[in-house]
Amino acid sequence: MHEAIVCVASNTDEWEVLIEAFKARVVGEVDATATFSPIYSTLSITDGITPYNNMVGRILCSMGFEELNGLMKQWEGEAGRIPRSKSVPLDIDIVIFDGRVVRPRDYSQEYFLSGYRALDHDRSRREI
């Protein structure tokens, strides 16, 4: 099994429905034991003004990085995500995979760290 720590964000009015739908989809289709941080707000690191609603999740699955990442990007598209658009219905990034930081920029940002700290670290299968 592989462990993925994902960061999820939305800056649209439908953020709550979209993030809850993501959680339900993960639990229903990928990992019934997935855990998630509470949802919390941060400001955009790009403009410092746009509010984002964020969440971090721990997913255990048999998929490798590329397959899981492809699925997450597919789900973004299905939620209406358009690359380089300022409107972000759903942004899903794998930040840590099998104990390795694969997105160092995200890993160092408060929008990830707040949720990551809130996860139940005793359930982690690997040390970071």
Side-chain angles (χ1 to χ4, degrees), residues 51-116:
Y52 276 81
N53 291 287
N54 310 275
M55 178 186 71
V56 173
R58 175 179 287 109
I59 301 169
L60 299 176
C61 65
S62 60
M63 287 181 263
F65 176 82
E66 293 300 328
E67 184 179 3
L68 182 60
N69 193 55
L71 181 63
M72 298 295 108
K73 296 310 169 191
Q74 176 187 327
W75 290 0
E76 283 182 357
E78 291 171 5
R81 176 90 194 261
I82 299 170
R84 294 175 291 288
S85 172
K86 291 184 187 235
S87 175
V88 181
L90 202 57
D91 180 26
I92 311 164
D93 293 310
I94 301 169
V95 179
I96 303 169
F97 192 79
D98 283 346
R100 185 173 61 91
V101 175
V102 294
R103 292 184 64 99
R105 180 173 182 250
D106 290 330
Y107 183 78
S108 67
Q109 298 295 327
E110 195 58 33
Y111 61 76
F112 171 75
L113 292 172
S114 289
Y116 184 57

Side-chain angles (χ1 to χ4, degrees), residues 10-19 51-53 87-90:
S10 177
N11 71 358
T12 66
D13 291 339
E14 296 84 31
W15 66 267
E16 190 169 19
V17 170
L18 292 164
I19 292 176
Y52 276 81
N53 291 287
S87 175
V88 181
L90 202 57

